[in-house]
């Protein structure tokens, strides 16, 4: 965190001045745009790196975003900057014995997280179907199974989403520090800082990252108005996003949407640092494994079998 | 070479293609990268393939610099300026390919050191930004310095310029190594996660770059009074044959290891050479590439065919195309296929990607043409500072340190 929390007071003035001159030219180029619009563009364009913003500047960003969403969706929203709680490290448990492959978690996630709905619909959870007797090799995984009824005879289902690695390869490769691991273990993206190079997508062994190939579209009536800056606020085109274990929920004491949506109790969630949490019980009493452990990414997403 | 009709026609032709590319690029900016064929499964495509290839092409200069400055092979020495300017043009093209690939070019300032937040030394992409720009600087500074001195009809100051020329040799090795490491370090992609990658990058770069130079030098000597001896071209071709041997050998080593050990990591290579579960898009491409490289290797190995201009040119074109397939789509795409969860998404670039790519190639060639428009008259002594008296006859090339 050293690099991010460092204040750049020495550089601030020159950097700002430089960017102001630069953006003045940039904005001047956009003729025919009215003054308030220009101001917003200017502010968006100039927005500083997250950890270098003062509280005042963060407030201003929230205000700008809420105004923007009000205009766009006709709904008042609340964008939170809620920080990680002390002594918290979020962990996830997934019971492969129970999952029936119904994908309710997938759609609950899309809804909760304000993902783009049509062309393309962005999924942060992928449920893959594997033939029984074959768990580790994903070469024969079926991603688009579509039977009349699940579960099907002879198959098991494995939901995969961001594994919130303790040692995340996606964070290491980002050329502009637009993504990082929060103190509570959640790997987040600053959508306003991402340059859209997609290097993180190449680095992720779990396909945990998703790209907004087009301007996301969310029906006005479906907008989830409780938002987090690093979570489910509506994204823009050409940036990367990903599962955050529903940062907007878990930091205010709620379960992730996928945990609540699961009809079979497959999904478990809790604080790995709390000895009495359900996730700790599972790790200590069940045979758990993590996906692609050989890559040393140290996921905080534990698969297990209750039966 | 005063602006002849052919020169203007060539420039207008390139400009037209560049504008067509720009038109498609504006549409891409407007609608997002959705109008390309890239998707989450294959998140890099033709743009990054071209980028990877062009970093290789930029090796052209260094292969000319080594014999010229270290082994004092004189026929090449006098034409180093053109080679370096070609490398500079290649780097500019490579950087343009990265620029069109990133989704948010409006945030171009985020990776600028001190102004933005360049993730150095964590991200290899940050390293690449630095080494590519450094290499670009070297390959512009050296020829511009030599040309300016020549313009004033002065000998270049060896002490000022030779260190930079020598520095460009390890720097060229650096840009290929860093670009290879960019892929190499990703444990998620077994196809790239092989230690042989950086050596393979170097070997193939020393084939494709010089092959283009062989063609370009023949064009230059045809349209201007620049003297480029056949001897120089044959020397370059000889060096290519060694590099191609190494390239094929390293490729063989990789293929052996993957096929004999036959682990699940074989899948991308199987996809590339044989097809996987009925998906065969890249198979004809890679076999074409392999055949081209093999034929070119023998053309350049056998002195008779190497020293005969027609076969030399055929060999060069085979390498230019063969390595483009190998280091472009044949390298970038199998990294994504199958993806980390075993899905196969077959990618082929669409019209937008092809048009934008052609536009960048045209713009790069135009930049190189304009470089030559200034460099050739100075080198041949036609163009000089008017207050100085011409000391040389016009068909003399100027000695360079």
């Amino acid at each position: 965190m050293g690099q991010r929390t460092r204040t750049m007071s020495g550089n601030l003035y020159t950097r700002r001045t430089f960017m102001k001159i630069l953006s003045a030219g940039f904005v001047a180029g956009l003729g025919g745009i009215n003054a308030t619009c220009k101001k917003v563009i200017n502010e968006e364009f100039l927005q500083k790196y997250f950890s270098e913003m003062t509280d005042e500047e963060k407030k201003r960003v929230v205000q700008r975003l809420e105004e923007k969403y009000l205009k766009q969706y006709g709904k008042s929203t609340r964008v939170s900057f809620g920080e990680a709680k002390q002594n918290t490290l979020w962990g996830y448990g997934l019971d492969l014995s129970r999952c029936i492959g119904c994908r309710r978690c997938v759609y609950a996630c899309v809804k909760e997280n304000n993902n783009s709905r049509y062309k393309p619909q962005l999924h942060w959870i992928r449920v893959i179907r594997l033939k029984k007797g074959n768990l580790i090799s994903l070469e024969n995984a079926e991603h688009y199974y579509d039977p009349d009824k699940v579960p099907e005879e002879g198959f098991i289902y494995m939901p995969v989403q961001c594994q919130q690695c303790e040692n995340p390869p996606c964070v290491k490769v980002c050329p502009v520090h637009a993504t990082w691991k929060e103190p509570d273990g959640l790997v987040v993206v600053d959508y306003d800082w991402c340059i859209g190079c997609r290097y993180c997508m190449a680095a992720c062994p779990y396909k945990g990252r998703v790209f907004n190939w087009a301007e996301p579209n969310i029906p006005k009536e479906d907008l989830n108005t409780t938002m987090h800056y690093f979570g489910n606020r509506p994204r823009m085109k050409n940036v990367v996003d990903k599962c955050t274990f529903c940062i907007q929920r878990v930091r205010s004491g709620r379960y992730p949407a996928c945990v609540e949506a699961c009809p079979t109790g497959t999904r478990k969630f809790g604080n790995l640092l709390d000895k009495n949490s359900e996730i700790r019980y599972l790790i200590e009493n069940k045979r758990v494994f993590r996906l692609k452990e050989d890559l040393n990414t140290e996921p905080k997403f534990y698969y297990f079998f209750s039966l | 070479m005063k602006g002849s009709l052919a020169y203007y026609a060539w420039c207008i032709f390139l400009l037209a293609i560049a504008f067509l590319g720009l038109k498609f690029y504006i549409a891409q900016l407007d609608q997002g990268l959705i109008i390309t064929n890239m998707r989450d499964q294959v998140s890099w495509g033709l743009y990054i393939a071209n980028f990877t290839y062009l970093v290789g092409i930029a090796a052209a200069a260094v292969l000319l610099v080594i014999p010229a400055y270290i082994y004092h092979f004189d026929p090449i020495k006098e034409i180093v300026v053109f080679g370096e300017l070609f490398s500079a043009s290649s780097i500019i093209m490579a950087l343009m390919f990265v620029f069109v690939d990133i989704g948010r070019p409006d945030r171009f300032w985020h990776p600028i050191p001190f102004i933005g937040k360049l993730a150095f030394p964590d991200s290899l992409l940050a390293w690449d930004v630095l080494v590519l720009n450094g290499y670009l600087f070297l390959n512009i500074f050296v020829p511009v310095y030599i040309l300016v001195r020549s313009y004033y009809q002065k000998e270049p100051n060896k002490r000022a310029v030779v260190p930079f020329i020598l520095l460009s040799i390890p720097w060229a090795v650096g840009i290929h190594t860093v670009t290879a490491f960019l892929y190499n370090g990703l444990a998620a992609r077994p196809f790239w996660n092989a230690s042989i990658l950086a050596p393979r990058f170097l070997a193939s770069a020393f084939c494709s770059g010089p092959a283009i130079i062989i063609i370009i030098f023949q064009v230059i000597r045809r349209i201007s009074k620049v003297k480029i001896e056949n001897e120089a071209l044959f020397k370059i071709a000889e060096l290519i044959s060694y590099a191609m041997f190494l390239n094929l050998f390293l490729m063989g080593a990789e293929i052996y290891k993957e096929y004999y050990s036959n682990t699940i990591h074989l899948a991308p290579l199987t996809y590339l050479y044989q097809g996987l579960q009925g998906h065969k898009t890249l198979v004809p491409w890679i076999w074409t590439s392999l055949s081209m490289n093999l034929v070119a290797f023998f053309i350049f190995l056998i002195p008779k065919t190497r020293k005969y201009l027609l076969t030399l040119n055929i060999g060069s074109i085979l390498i230019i195309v063969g390595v483009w397939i190998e280091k472009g789509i044949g390298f970038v795409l199998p990294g994504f296929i199958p993806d980390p969860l075993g899905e196969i998404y077959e990618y082929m670039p669409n019209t937008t990607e092809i048009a934008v790519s052609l536009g960048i190639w045209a713009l790069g060639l135009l930049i190189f043409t304009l470089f030559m428009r200034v460099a050739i008259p100075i080198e041949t002594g036609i163009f000089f500072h008017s207050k100085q008296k011409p000391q040389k006859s016009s068909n003399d090339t100027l000695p360079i340190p």
Side-chain angles (χ1 to χ4, degrees):
Chain A
M1 286 294 287
Q3 248 179 324
R4 283 192 297 276
T5 46
R6 187 184 64 195
T7 56
M8 302 275 289
S9 48
N11 288 334
L12 215 59
Y13 179 71
T14 44
R15 179 212 308 232
R16 248 193 190 159
T17 323
F18 174 83
M19 290 317 301
K20 260 189 189 151
I21 295 165
L22 217 131
S23 69
F26 181 80
V27 173
L30 303 167
I33 296 175
N34 69 45
T36 39
C37 201
K38 255 187 201 172
K39 199 174 145 223
V40 169
I41 289 172
N42 208 355
E43 271 179 30
E44 268 178 23
F45 178 72
L46 277 181
Q47 186 177 318
K48 280 200 289 185
Y49 186 66
F50 178 74
S51 66
E52 288 166 10
M53 277 192 268
T54 61
D55 287 346
E56 202 55 37
E57 285 168 321
K58 283 180 192 172
K59 259 183 213 158
R60 181 77 199 104
V61 167
V62 166
Q63 202 188 335
R64 195 190 73 223
L65 289 175
E66 288 175 353
E67 277 168 17
K68 186 173 145 190
Y69 300 146
L70 181 67
K71 215 180 251 173
Q72 201 173 343
Y73 299 97
K75 277 184 171 178
S76 62
T77 55
R78 218 185 77 76
V79 180
S80 154
F81 269 121
E83 286 177 15
K85 279 188 216 131
Q86 293 275 308
N87 298 319
T88 310
L89 198 61
W90 297 118
Y92 209 108
L94 198 137
D95 185 353
L96 287 169
S97 311
R98 288 181 187 268
C99 179
I100 54 165
C102 66
R103 294 201 185 100
R104 281 191 178 85
C105 51
V106 176
Y107 298 107
C109 167
V110 168
K111 223 171 160 202
E112 164 69 27
N113 287 298
N114 290 322
N115 285 10
S116 180
R117 299 301 153 87
Y118 311 108
K119 287 188 175 182
Q121 187 172 85
L122 260 52
H123 291 176
W124 287 351
I125 304 173
R126 236 164 214 275
V127 186
I128 55 179
R129 190 183 72 184
L130 299 161
K131 268 202 184 102
K132 270 187 183 159
N134 185 0
L135 194 59
I136 298 299
S137 166
L138 300 171
E139 297 302 318
N140 296 307
E142 175 56 54
H143 290 246
Y144 304 100
Y145 65 90
D146 189 21
D148 292 334
K149 237 183 187 175
V150 284
E152 300 153 278
E153 202 59 48
F155 294 106
I156 68 156
Y157 303 90
M158 178 189 262
V160 185
Q161 61 210 69
C162 173
Q163 312 276 303
Q164 316 291 349
C165 305
E166 267 303 277
N167 188 10
C170 52
V171 166
K172 195 160 66 178
V173 299
C174 177
V176 293
H177 288 307
T179 180
W180 60 84
K181 195 179 73 190
E182 288 273 288
D184 55 359
L186 302 178
V187 176
V188 298
V189 181
D190 184 348
Y191 314 121
D192 277 343
W193 196 259
C194 170
I195 58 168
C197 72
R198 312 187 294 295
Y199 196 11
C200 55
M201 299 177 75
C204 175
Y206 308 102
K207 223 164 144 177
R209 285 173 174 260
V210 170
F211 196 66
N212 288 279
W213 296 95
E215 191 70 45
N217 54 76
I218 308 153
K220 280 178 188 173
E221 61 278 12
D222 284 355
L223 188 79
N224 178 2
T225 54
T226 311
M227 300 173 183
H228 194 283
Y229 182 80
F230 295 129
N232 60 341
R233 67 177 166 116
R235 275 76 68 189
M236 54 293 270
K237 71 177 173 215
N238 288 347
V239 299
V240 161
D241 59 25
K242 63 185 280 302
C243 158
T244 61
F245 285 172
C246 286
I247 192 168
Q248 67 280 359
R249 285 169 154 253
V250 300
R251 281 195 181 169
S252 49
R254 299 174 70 196
Y255 276 118
C258 47
V259 173
E260 281 184 2
C262 181
T264 61
T266 296
R267 293 170 169 273
K268 312 289 182 191
F269 184 79
N271 180 5
L272 291 166
L273 302 182
D274 175 2
K275 277 183 192 154
N276 301 317
S277 67
E278 189 180 16
I279 187 75
R280 279 289 287 271
Y281 176 84
L282 292 170
I283 291 170
E284 277 154 32
N285 295 287
K286 303 284 175 190
R287 274 60 172 160
V288 300
F289 76 95
R290 291 173 295 171
L291 218 47
K292 304 194 187 190
E293 271 176 347
D294 51 327
L295 300 183
N296 204 26
T297 51
E298 301 286 343
K300 293 190 289 293
F301 199 101
Y302 295 84
Y303 292 90
F304 66 97
F305 299 91
S306 62
L307 300 169
Chain B
M1 134 156 173
K2 265 242 152 71
S4 67
L5 196 65
Y7 166 77
Y8 287 114
W10 170 244
C11 287
I12 287 168
F13 169 70
L14 292 177
L15 261 179
I17 297 178
F19 268 108
L20 189 73
L22 185 66
K23 192 178 154 263
F24 278 90
Y25 178 62
I26 288 169
Q28 179 189 305
L29 274 185
D30 185 43
Q31 294 174 45
L33 286 161
I34 188 92
I35 72 165
T36 69
N37 270 354
M38 291 183 277
R39 289 297 178 268
D40 286 342
Q41 293 82 353
V42 178
S43 47
W44 285 337
L46 188 64
Y47 298 149
I48 294 299
N50 272 305
F51 157 75
T52 310
Y53 177 71
L54 279 163
V55 172
I57 294 296
V62 86
L63 203 77
L64 300 171
V65 168
I66 292 172
Y69 290 92
I70 298 188
Y71 299 111
H72 303 288
F73 184 76
D74 286 328
I76 292 182
K77 211 170 194 172
E78 295 172 350
I79 49 184
V80 165
V81 168
F82 302 137
E84 296 211 328
L85 286 174
F86 183 71
S87 285
S89 316
S90 309
I91 293 289
I92 293 171
M93 281 189 260
L95 292 171
M96 282 196 285
F97 271 111
V98 175
F99 193 77
V100 297
D101 185 70
I102 64 168
R104 307 293 313 196
D106 54 320
R107 298 177 186 168
F108 68 92
W109 61 279
H110 292 185
I112 299 174
F114 306 112
I115 297 164
K117 195 86 191 160
L118 188 72
F120 185 84
D122 295 10
S123 170
L124 263 294
L125 207 51
W127 282 70
D128 225 12
V129 168
L130 296 178
V131 293
L132 287 179
N133 281 298
Y135 194 65
L136 178 62
F137 166 77
L138 283 177
N139 279 290
I140 286 185
F141 171 74
V142 171
V144 166
Y145 174 76
I146 292 172
L147 289 172
V148 168
R149 295 290 291 190
S150 304
Y151 176 71
Y152 289 107
Q153 306 208 322
K154 285 176 187 152
E155 285 288 309
N157 180 353
K158 277 192 181 185
R159 276 198 183 156
V161 75
V162 169
F164 288 100
I165 293 172
L166 294 178
L167 179 62
S168 69
I169 297 169
W171 206 292
V173 176
I175 64 168
H176 304 306
T177 308
V178 169
T179 307
F181 281 3
L182 197 143
Y183 298 99
N184 197 182
L186 306 180
R189 310 282 172 178
F191 183 71
W192 296 334
N193 194 216
S195 315
I196 209 165
L197 212 66
R200 276 194 69 184
F201 262 57
L202 283 168
S204 66
F206 286 154
C207 301
S208 52
I212 290 190
I213 285 286
I214 287 180
I215 303 284
I216 283 179
F217 279 0
Q218 289 176 70
V219 174
I220 288 178
R221 74 177 178 187
R222 175 156 298 183
I223 60 170
S224 75
K225 286 181 179 154
V226 173
K227 269 190 183 170
I228 295 167
E229 290 167 39
N230 277 342
E231 203 45 43
L233 300 181
F234 300 154
K235 191 73 189 175
I236 298 173
E238 191 189 332
L239 295 170
I240 292 178
S241 72
Y242 304 147
M244 186 46 95
F245 169 75
L246 206 61
N247 186 34
L248 292 169
F249 175 75
L250 293 175
M251 190 177 73
E254 194 175 6
I255 288 176
Y256 160 75
K257 178 252 180 183
E258 293 298 350
Y259 270 93
Y260 195 83
S261 52
N262 193 18
T263 68
I264 52 168
H265 293 169
L266 179 62
L269 214 63
T270 313
Y271 171 71
L272 184 59
Y273 284 97
Q274 294 173 290
L276 198 61
Q277 298 169 17
H279 301 280
K280 296 180 181 218
T281 308
L282 283 183
V283 176
W285 288 87
I286 201 66
W287 286 103
T288 307
S289 157
L290 187 58
S291 327
M292 286 175 154
N293 287 348
L294 266 174
V295 172
F297 169 61
F298 285 110
I299 288 177
F300 284 152
L301 183 69
I302 302 163
K304 229 180 181 174
T305 43
R306 180 171 73 221
K307 294 185 176 174
Y308 179 59
L309 282 181
L310 177 69
T311 43
L312 178 80
N313 287 335
I314 291 173
S316 298
I317 288 166
L318 288 176
I319 284 188
I320 292 167
V321 180
V323 174
W324 184 82
I325 297 171
E326 186 203 315
K327 271 289 152 304
I329 54 174
F331 170 75
V332 172
L333 301 184
F336 294 104
I337 305 168
D339 80 8
L341 297 186
E343 188 184 345
I344 297 175
Y345 167 82
E346 285 208 287
Y347 162 91
M348 266 290 139
N350 63 11
T351 317
T352 300
E353 291 167 271
I354 292 168
V356 172
S357 299
L358 285 177
I360 291 175
W361 276 97
L363 202 56
L365 280 179
L366 184 65
I367 290 168
F368 180 65
T369 307
L370 296 178
F371 278 155
M372 289 302 103
R373 184 79 182 85
V374 180
I376 291 173
I378 294 179
E379 283 280 279
T380 50
I382 298 171
F383 183 46
F384 49 83
H385 194 257
S386 51
K387 284 183 184 162
Q388 315 267 339
K389 274 186 188 166
Q391 295 161 348
K392 294 176 186 303
S393 64
S394 62
N395 60 354
D396 244 6
T397 50
L398 203 82
I400 302 162

